[in-house]
Structures are given as C-alpha cells and as structure tokens.
Amino acid sequence: MSERLRNDLRQARWESGMSWEQFAQATSFTPAYLRNVENGNRSVTIDVAAAYDRALRTDGRFARELADGETAPSNVPWDQDGAALAVLSDLVDGRRGRVDRRGFVKVGAALSVSAGSWANALLTRPSAGREGTSSLGGTALLANMASRLELLRRMDDELGSKQVREQALGELSLTVTLLKAGRYQGSAANRLLRLAGEAARQVAWCTFDQGHRPGEAQQYFDASLRASAEAGDTTGGAYTISFAAVQLYSTGQANRAVALLETARSQLGRHSTPRMQAMLAARTARALSKTGAKAAAGRQLHLAHAMLDKDPQDDEPEFLYWVTPSEVEMIAGSSALDLGDPAEALRRFEAGMRAHPSVDEEFPRSHAIYLARAAEAHLALADLDAAVATAWRAAACLGSVDSARSSSQLKGLRAKLAPHAAYRPVTDFLQPAAG
C-alpha cells in the first residue's frame, strides 16, 4: 500500500501541472522534503497526505488512502484472563490485526469502544483509586522503571516525541517480559501492569505526535486502558483517555472527545483530585470549543481554574505537573481562537505567558504550538507585524524539538501568511521554508 500511495501522490502532482516550487508553496513543505516522501526516503504521514489533498483539491482522497490497511484494535475480549498481557505482547511482537479501511472516524469509534470497555471492566475489578499515583513503592527495579518513565515524560516536553517513542517502546517491552516471566505477584504485579499502561500511553501519544497513522496510536491507547483496568488503576486509565481525547478533537471528532472525557470523569468519581479535575475540564473545554459550544467551554475553563485555586494535595498524581494556571490559559486562548474571538485568544495567551515566564524553556514543544496560534490571532486582527514577530518566536521555540504536530502547526501558519508575501517581513519569515 505504501508504494502504491507514493505512486498515486506522484502521479497526481504530475497531472496538476504545477512546478515543484508552486506545489511546495501550496503544501507548506519544502521541495526537498516532498521529493524524499515520493522517493520513499521519508514516511507518508497524515500531514503530508492532507497537504497533497489540500494542494490538489482531492477532497481527502490521499488521507483516506493512507488509512487503508490501518491496524485494527485488538479483538481480545476484555474479560478474558490475561487479556491485557495478550494485547501488550502482540503490540511488542508486532502482531496486529488488519482491516481494509481505517479512517479517522473508525479510529474514533474504536477509541470510544475502548473507553466504554474500560469503564465496564472497572466495575468488575477493585479500583486502585489514588493508590500508586504519587509514590509507587516496591522493588528497586520497578522503582527505577517508574523513574525512567517519569524522565521520558519530561524529555517529551523538551525534546519532542521521536526519540522518546523509541525509549518508551523499550520500557513497554521490558514490562511485558517481566509480566510473562511471572516474577511479580499481588500488588507488585499490579504495579507492573500500571507501569505497562503508562509506557503504552507514552508510545500512543508519541505515535500521534509524530504524525503516524491514527490507528497505530489508537492500538496503544487501547492497550494502556486494558492494563489500567486489569490493575484497577482508574487514575492511570483516566489519564490515558485524556490523551486519546486530544487525538480525537485534533482529527475532527470533538464530540467523541467530549464523551470520552466524560467517561473518565464519571469513573474517577471520588478518586479524583483537584488537579486531575482541572486537567479533564480544560481538555473538555478545548473539545467543546471545536464544536462551537462557547458557553459550555467557558464553564469548563472556569471549573479548571477553580480546581487549581484549591489548596494543593499531597496525593496529587505526579504526572500532572504540567497542569498549571498558565496551561489552562493557553488552552483558553486556543479555544477562543477556534470560537472566532482572536482578541480574547490573545488576551488569554498573554496571560498564560505572564503566569509562566520560563514556559518556552520547560515546554518548548507545546509553547511553539501556542505561539503559532497567537500569531494566527494577530493575523486575524490584521496586525501583520505582530503576527510575524510571534511567528519567529514560535519557530525559534520549536528549534531542535522533534514533533510533527508542532511542525504542522507552524506549516499551517506559513500557509496563512503566504497571501501576504508582498510584505517584506512576511517574505523574510517565509523564505527559509522555500529553501
């Protein structure tokens, strides 16, 4: 399928009659990058397929073709003994089911099924609640594994997802090896399952962030949820669902994302903490903004801030370190931009940056995305100088961070600036992309 798709991309470009320079400008990729894609030296990611569709006006043909042969979710019953280990083993060993077509909508449906199955599975297993979310305890080996997964979360913030994905795959493979060996029993085995669930979540998130086929990330999200359910780890499962929701609302399935987040919140119940509630509310607001539900999104953002205003709790999950008033303001800015209020978006983005002056150093990948959106807000308000200045900051912030999602946001900004190329500062900004 991959070679056929490359041939189809090449043929359609030829038939368009556009030169490489014209085509590259229309896609916001460089000619060299696209040549490497067509020649097989680079992957055909969803961003590339969508760019060809956009430039050639093919109504999503190539994005759909890319989804052909997409990996399918596991059909292992959730109530089968050892189901989580069976699914995790298949992922580690590279054995995955296949179907004929796996588009965004089918992936969304599969994620919805996984979330529902997760919720049902928790009803038949004792919930771990907050157990193990701040201090896992146990053997030195498991403690070291937990520390490495924590380090990978921080590395993803600063370096992007490509290398982190490979490391997380290694950690996932190790957890599967230990689970198969039966070395741990009782609470230690549950702890290992929780670690497997976190490793699978990291792989899923990095897979999505790198622009891989949507079904690939979905499979790891599914495996993560299975591991958390079998371990009775409601908190870890809810955290996984929150990232699956980002994949959904980023690929045009905001209503499904809202439903997933509601599933997570309802299952957490009394086991939730203020910061967890803030995170789920903020991501719900982001999803709602993509549906046009301005009032509902506003209520969720208010709830997120209210939860963060509460006194800190000692048992807050450590992995929520990034959930801060600054992050909520940035999400509010993105939401306002989608809701057609660029002035409010800028107010929120600026408030977020003031609340966390070192955000560009600690979270360069996400900050590059927010800066690109702030530049779009300036552009919507016809302030070209501010738009270009902010665009340069976004490009500098991205720097050596390896994130297809962040790069795609910047490419989209370049495309929106392109009609203003007659203005010299815009030309100067666009010039590197044409090289």
Side-chain angles (χ1 to χ4, degrees):
M1 186 281 297
S2 180
E3 186 58 32
R4 184 191 71 201
L5 176 55
R6 293 179 197 281
N7 289 335
D8 290 347
L9 293 172
R10 186 183 300 110
Q11 183 66 30
R13 177 182 55 77
W14 285 343
E15 292 175 356
S16 74
M18 283 189 277
S19 67
W20 266 117
E21 289 70 23
Q22 291 170 325
F23 187 68
Q25 184 174 7
T27 61
S28 299
F29 285 88
T30 68
Y33 188 97
L34 296 178
R35 286 192 184 97
N36 279 323
V37 169
E38 291 187 6
N39 292 334
N41 297 322
R42 283 186 175 273
S43 300
V44 183
T45 66
I46 190 58
D47 287 334
V48 170
Y52 272 73
D53 282 328
R54 182 175 62 251
L56 300 171
R57 299 183 180 180
T58 50
D59 194 29
R61 167 194 166 190
F62 296 121
R64 291 192 297 271
E65 189 172 342
L66 178 62
D68 282 4
E70 192 60 60
T71 52
S74 172
N75 58 4
V76 177
W78 279 65
D79 58 356
Q80 174 181 309
D81 288 342
L85 179 55
V87 172
L88 289 165
S89 297
D90 281 351
L91 286 175
V92 168
D93 295 340
R95 299 192 302 270
R96 301 164 182 157
R98 303 188 71 82
V99 295
D100 291 335
R101 299 189 68 85
R102 298 289 300 162
F104 287 124
V105 173
K106 290 190 176 183
V107 167
L111 283 171
S112 296
V113 169
S114 294
S117 298
W118 169 78
N120 290 334
L122 287 172
L123 296 176
T124 62
R125 293 183 174 91
S127 173
R130 301 182 189 182
E131 176 189 352
T133 58
S134 60
S135 178
L136 290 170
T139 68
L141 176 59
L142 297 188
N144 285 334
M145 292 173 65
S147 295
R148 290 198 300 272
L149 287 171
E150 164 61 16
L151 177 61
L152 289 180
R153 285 194 289 268
R154 304 281 182 163
M155 287 175 62
D156 180 48
D157 294 332
E158 296 189 33
L159 303 179
S161 53
K162 186 174 183 179
Q163 295 301 320
V164 171
R165 183 179 186 275
E166 296 305 312
Q167 296 294 321
L169 279 168
E171 294 298 322
L172 181 60
S173 179
L174 178 56
T175 62
V176 168
T177 298
L178 292 174
L179 286 166
K180 284 181 175 179
R183 177 175 177 177
Y184 299 98
Q185 302 296 322
S187 61
N190 267 3
R191 181 185 177 190
L192 185 55
L193 266 175
R194 291 198 297 273
L195 293 173
E198 170 58 11
R201 183 203 66 79
Q202 289 193 20
V203 175
W205 173 248
C206 291
T207 297
F208 164 65
D209 188 65
Q210 279 298 305
H212 290 214
R213 298 172 188 171
E216 188 175 350
Q218 173 265 318
Q219 284 201 323
Y220 285 99
F221 281 131
D222 175 77
S224 177
L225 288 174
R226 288 172 181 269
S228 69
E230 197 162 310
D233 181 12
T234 310
T235 301
Y239 194 55
T240 292
I241 283 180
S242 76
F243 282 85
V246 175
Q247 176 177 357
L248 289 184
Y249 70 60
S250 299
T251 53
Q253 299 182 79
N255 285 321
R256 284 191 186 276
V258 173
L260 250 68
L261 290 161
E262 181 54 37
T263 297
R265 295 163 94 168
S266 64
Q267 289 304 308
L268 277 171
R270 63 184 178 83
H271 298 303
S272 193
T273 63
R275 186 166 289 184
M276 176 64 82
Q277 291 182 60
M279 184 273 291
L280 292 173
R283 287 192 165 168
T284 300
R286 187 73 184 98
L288 286 167
S289 73
K290 290 181 174 291
T291 72
K294 183 176 181 179
R299 287 192 292 271
Q300 292 298 319
L301 289 169
H302 178 77
L303 174 61
H305 277 301
M307 290 298 101
L308 289 180
D309 285 342
K310 290 178 175 288
D311 292 334
Q313 293 186 337
D314 293 337
D315 55 357
E316 283 283 5
E318 191 282 331
F319 50 67
L320 293 178
Y321 62 89
W322 56 273
V323 182
T324 63
S326 172
E327 176 66 14
V328 173
E329 284 296 288
M330 296 297 199
I331 290 174
S334 296
S335 299
L337 188 62
D338 275 353
L339 288 166
D341 191 345
E344 173 67 4
L346 284 176
R347 187 181 74 80
R348 294 287 200 153
F349 285 134
E350 289 165 2
M353 294 173 200
R354 286 195 303 271
H356 195 158
S358 62
V359 65
D360 56 334
E361 297 177 3
E362 295 181 45
F363 302 97
R365 188 259 308 281
S366 58
H367 194 51
I369 292 175
Y370 292 135
L371 284 170
R373 291 173 183 161
E376 289 183 22
H378 283 300
L379 186 59
L381 294 171
D383 190 342
L384 275 178
D385 288 328
V388 172
T390 308
W392 277 117
R393 290 175 60 197
C397 194
L398 194 57
S400 61
V401 173
D402 195 330
S403 166
R405 192 168 61 103
S406 302
S407 297
S408 177
Q409 188 76 40
L410 201 56
K411 289 185 180 75
L413 174 60
R414 290 182 186 278
K416 291 180 180 180
L417 285 169
H420 306 278
Y423 185 50
R424 181 57 183 271
V426 173
T427 305
D428 290 343
F429 177 73
L430 295 177
Q431 192 61 42

